[in-house]
Amino acid sequence: MMLKHRILLLLLLQLTLFLALCPSSSPRQEPTAMRISCGSRVNVHTKPTNTLWYKDFAYTAGRPANASRTSRIVPPLSTLRYFPLSDGPENCYNINRVPSGHYSVRIFFALVHDPNFQNEPLFDVSVEGTQIYSLPSGWSTKDEESFAEALVFVSDGSVSTCFHSTGHGDPAILSIEILQVDDRAYYFGPQWGEALILRTARRLSGGGGKPEYDEDYSGDHWGGDRFWSPVNTFGQDSDLAISTEKSIKQASVSPNYYPEKLYQTAIVSTDSQPDLSYSMDVDPTRNYSIWLHFAEIDPRTKGEGQRVFDILINGDTAFKDVDIIKLSGDSYTALVLNKTIAVNGRTLTITIHPKKGKHAIINAIEVFEVIPAESKTLAQEVMALQALKNALGLPLRLGWNGDPCVPQQHPWSGVDCQFDRTSSKWVIDGLSLDNQGLRGFLPIDISRLHHLQSINLSGNSIRGAIPSSLGTITGLEKLDLSYNFFNSSIPESLGSLTSLQILNLNSNMLSGRVPAALGGRLLHRVSFNFTKNAGLCGIPGLPTCGPYLSIGSKIGIAVGVVVVFLLIVVSLIICWKRRQNILRSQTVAARDAPYAKARTHFVRDVQMTRNHGFDNSRIATENGPNLLS
């Protein structure tokens, strides 16, 4: 009995240890997915997968319109957003709150459903400041050209996709998808990383019957819902399509998570043409990463050594003696081979040449263009330009959306850029916005563009004072603010710009003395122009300034003026009070006049009566006896 208890206890301990060491089977987190139905005012769900597309709100400018779908593979959405050239040459979707990670960004294009619009606009597309695609003529009739897709890293919480007009119609965007993929998806070697973008150039499913997405294949969501274009043959009568219903091992695995169904069809060469060869057009002098997919699903090949072949890319052997069963470990097992090469010409050709066995086989092909990610413009300088844009009321036609310096093919109008090796960022070294109808004022934020060497804002309608902060741009060599409406005085700080060679402040409304530090440099081979400012003085060619007063003297005069003014005010108040008192007295006197007059007459009568009695008494006294007798 004791032995049984010990055995039971031992089994219980083993079970506890197993459960402790066994990894958790909790469900894996779903990847982040953000889909936008461009131009839509409400959220949309599309069949057959009930996919959610968010409404298009507060992401960009442009104008909503009804969409005309270009191909059968685009999402079944009914609206789009287009960007007239009058609204600017570049427009961007800025999508925030995107967690840091690795993402597949896909943009679908469409046509405006209006006969008055040009049927097929041609424009450039950039993601995160890097141009990834230029729409070719005829894109609206080809499935694989009706969208642009790229793998990018996101580290700042936002994704920016921009559309750049090339003068051939207004860009029109049907939808934008931002789909998270594995952090090491499509790793191809030491050069891979955040400094590179992989643009999908072609993705083919051999032997497939119709266009399919990963979702259609019931693929893992971490694959990024890739689109696979079917190809049933690489040439007339030179190959055939085969398929199987058997399951494929090692298919949907990290980091790329290819759908199993991708390996259940393939193209196999025939006796008449043993080689399999596929060619596609590419841009010259670019790097391309090529991913080749194999699974031995041909029942005629049962073991190692029965099918061996070389793989050539543009005539050079990329892989030698490929034996699918040997490399994958078994039949019906996925094998992926990758090679990244530089292509000098305009054609990329992949050839599979059998060495053992008569036939070649391939299941799928992926080709990515490897694009160096552009370094962005220094963030504080971008914010300074945005402040300048708002303060000067820049017209829409100038654009100023996205990044000022990248893509390098589409910098902002009127902005000159220079790459700063210290910060590995682009900086602004010139502003040329003369005669652009600018209004408003020049903000102090312009001093944050501390790499500026040249500023030309002449011929506009800019008002207000010249900001003293300009004096902190130590490398400034040219400052042209002529033919505007600047007022007030010239800042003393401009005198500290020792690199300044050209200063044009003529034809404004400036006043006061020209700073001594500027006036003293007129003999040092510089070009300064202060003319046609009625209030300026102090240098040859301008009126002579009055006596110079120190700051203390100016303060003393100001205080004296204030004191005199206060004394005048007090005197006026006293005079006014005295006048009011006089008027009040006269009013009272006028009101009491009848009583005063009557009293005066009474007093006078009494006095006269008294005087008359006194006189009679005196007469009587003096002459009394005679009068009695």
Side-chain angles (χ1 to χ4, degrees), residues 2-262:
M2 291 292 294
L3 181 59
K4 291 182 178 180
H5 283 295
R6 289 179 180 177
I7 294 174
L8 184 61
L9 181 60
L10 182 60
L11 290 174
L12 182 61
L13 288 173
Q14 289 177 340
L15 178 61
T16 303
L17 181 62
F18 173 78
L19 292 175
L21 296 177
C22 182
S24 173
S25 59
S26 58
R28 187 180 52 162
Q29 178 184 357
E30 279 287 294
T32 299
M34 179 71 176
R35 293 179 170 92
I36 300 172
S37 175
C38 299
S40 177
R41 293 181 173 87
V42 295
N43 293 342
V44 178
H45 288 82
T46 55
K47 296 179 179 180
T49 55
N50 200 37
T51 301
L52 170 63
W53 300 82
Y54 289 102
K55 63 182 178 181
D56 187 358
F57 177 73
Y59 294 114
T60 185
R63 307 177 191 183
N66 292 326
S68 176
R69 295 176 62 192
T70 57
S71 72
R72 54 187 174 176
I73 72 159
V74 301
L77 302 170
S78 59
T79 61
L80 56 71
R81 185 172 292 273
Y82 72 99
F83 302 96
L85 185 57
S86 58
D87 289 357
E90 51 261 340
N91 288 272
C92 303
Y93 269 84
N94 297 303
I95 303 166
N96 299 318
R97 297 189 297 275
V98 178
S100 297
H102 198 194
Y103 288 86
S104 172
V105 179
R106 182 164 57 201
I107 305 108
F108 276 99
F109 317 118
L111 304 178
V112 177
H113 190 63
D114 188 326
N116 295 322
F117 279 78
Q118 182 177 340
N119 286 334
E120 191 182 68
L122 305 179
F123 52 94
D124 294 339
V125 180
S126 66
V127 174
E128 290 293 278
T130 301
Q131 182 165 316
I132 64 165
Y133 193 60
S134 296
L135 273 73
S137 179
W139 63 263
S140 59
T141 62
K142 299 177 182 178
D143 288 344
E144 65 272 14
E145 293 180 355
S146 62
F147 69 92
E149 180 184 80
L151 291 169
V152 300
F153 284 92
V154 175
S155 58
D156 58 0
S158 67
V159 175
S160 174
T161 62
C162 299
F163 314 103
H164 311 274
S165 296
T166 59
H168 303 281
D170 301 329
I173 312 303
L174 181 74
S175 65
I176 297 176
E177 296 175 276
I178 302 173
L179 308 175
Q180 189 177 11
V181 296
D182 191 280
D183 284 346
R184 289 180 66 83
Y186 291 99
Y187 176 84
F188 61 79
Q191 299 82 16
W192 178 93
E194 297 185 17
L196 296 176
I197 291 177
L198 293 182
R199 179 189 70 85
T200 306
R202 195 64 50 87
R203 187 177 277 126
L204 303 174
S205 174
K210 62 179 182 178
E212 302 278 5
Y213 290 90
D214 280 0
E215 187 72 29
D216 301 319
Y217 284 150
S218 300
D220 193 300
H221 290 169
W222 281 96
D225 197 22
R226 291 157 291 206
F227 168 74
W228 300 91
S229 182
V231 56
N232 293 314
T233 178
F234 289 152
Q236 293 182 353
D237 300 325
S238 62
D239 47 39
L240 56 88
I242 62 172
S243 63
T244 184
E245 295 294 328
K246 291 185 177 182
S247 63
I248 305 297
K249 298 183 287 292
Q250 299 297 318
S252 187
V253 296
S254 174
N256 294 343
Y257 298 98
Y258 293 112
E260 178 185 11
K261 192 174 180 181
L262 183 69

Side-chain angles (χ1 to χ4, degrees), residues 434-595:
D434 52 305
N435 299 297
Q436 295 296 331
L438 306 182
R439 300 179 181 275
F441 63 96
L442 195 58
I444 61 174
D445 300 80
I446 193 171
S447 63
R448 297 169 69 181
L449 300 170
H450 57 267
H451 295 90
L452 280 175
Q453 298 178 22
S454 173
I455 300 175
N456 186 355
L457 299 175
S458 63
N460 290 293
S461 299
I462 307 172
R463 301 177 180 274
I466 299 173
S468 60
S469 61
L470 280 174
T472 64
I473 308 177
T474 56
L476 197 59
E477 299 175 357
K478 176 183 177 181
L479 177 60
D480 191 345
L481 303 179
S482 60
Y483 296 97
N484 278 286
F485 295 97
F486 287 103
N487 54 33
S488 191
S489 60
I490 300 174
E492 294 282 345
S493 62
L494 296 189
S496 63
L497 298 176
T498 56
S499 298
L500 199 61
Q501 296 296 312
I502 298 175
L503 176 62
N504 293 333
L505 300 180
N506 52 297
S507 300
N508 277 286
M509 302 169 64
L510 298 170
S511 60
R513 182 185 295 271
V514 174
L518 290 175
R521 295 179 57 203
L522 292 175
L523 299 177
H524 293 79
R525 296 183 179 180
V526 296
S527 174
F528 290 175
N529 191 342
F530 302 105
T531 61
K532 297 184 180 179
N533 285 280
L536 282 182
C537 62
I539 61 171
L542 296 180
T544 303
C545 296
Y548 177 75
L549 296 176
S550 66
I551 295 177
S553 300
K554 292 178 181 179
I555 294 175
I557 292 174
V559 172
V561 170
V562 172
V563 171
V564 170
F565 175 75
L566 292 176
L567 289 174
I568 293 174
V569 171
V570 171
S571 300
L572 289 174
I573 292 174
I574 292 173
C575 291
W576 180 77
K577 287 281 189 182
R578 183 173 295 173
R579 176 66 178 166
Q580 291 297 314
N581 290 337
I582 294 172
L583 292 175
R584 191 178 296 111
S585 299
Q586 290 176 349
T587 302
V588 172
R591 185 173 62 249
D592 295 341
Y595 168 76

